Amino acid sequence: MKIAFIGKTLAASLGLLALFAPQRADAQIPNIVPEPWVSVGAKDGDVTYAVGAKFLNYGAELGVGEDGAVGVDVLQFLPLPAVSPYVGVGYYTEGKGVSLSGGVQINPTKNLMVGAGYNTRRGINGQLGIKF
């Protein structure tokens, strides 16, 4: 049941990202436009969600973790050409407290980002995003 729900959520997210993916604009300055993503994961049998954005090698993620805890993580990215590892720290409600996170995002195409990470409050997660 939960695996099917995660699959449907990822499919819907991919469809929305494809629908709203921007067209190339040569006038844009690279790394100045935020790069948004959605994330779906699992922790202790609970499905977890997050939305995030990267801007100038910093990022923020708003997530819903286990037992409905809501929190924000601040991320620092290491700027490499195709791979961007990151680490972060955040705070979650419902008595969950401080969270630590880490992972990697890669750019298989010019406008697509995929990633995988781990958050102590949201567990293992997959990420899908777009680059403008």
Side-chain angles (χ1 to χ4, degrees), residues 2-88:
K2 291 193 185 252
I3 292 175
F5 183 73
I6 290 172
K8 289 178 184 178
T9 303
L10 283 173
S13 299
L14 180 60
L16 287 173
L17 285 171
L19 180 64
F20 294 109
Q23 299 299 319
R24 180 181 164 97
D26 291 327
Q28 289 181 340
I29 301 171
N31 296 326
I32 298 297
V33 177
E35 301 170 17
W37 70 83
V38 295
S39 175
V40 177
K43 170 88 178 192
D44 296 333
D46 290 334
V47 178
T48 62
Y49 308 94
V51 293
K54 175 179 165 184
F55 182 75
L56 296 174
N57 298 321
Y58 290 97
E61 215 170 23
L62 173 64
V64 178
E66 59 183 330
D67 301 327
V70 177
V72 175
D73 295 283
V74 177
L75 310 172
Q76 171 66 58
F77 289 85
L78 182 62
L80 298 175
V83 178
S84 296
Y86 67 88
V87 295

Side-chain angles (χ1 to χ4, degrees), residues 58-121:
Y58 290 97
E61 215 170 23
L62 173 64
V64 178
E66 59 183 330
D67 301 327
V70 177
V72 175
D73 295 283
V74 177
L75 310 172
Q76 171 66 58
F77 289 85
L78 182 62
L80 298 175
V83 178
S84 296
Y86 67 88
V87 295
V89 64
Y91 187 80
Y92 281 73
T93 62
E94 304 298 324
K96 300 297 180 187
V98 175
S99 69
L100 300 175
S101 58
V104 64
Q105 293 181 346
I106 59 172
N107 299 314
T109 67
K110 190 169 187 169
N111 293 328
L112 179 67
M113 180 281 296
V114 294
Y118 179 78
N119 182 291
T120 56
R121 302 296 172 230

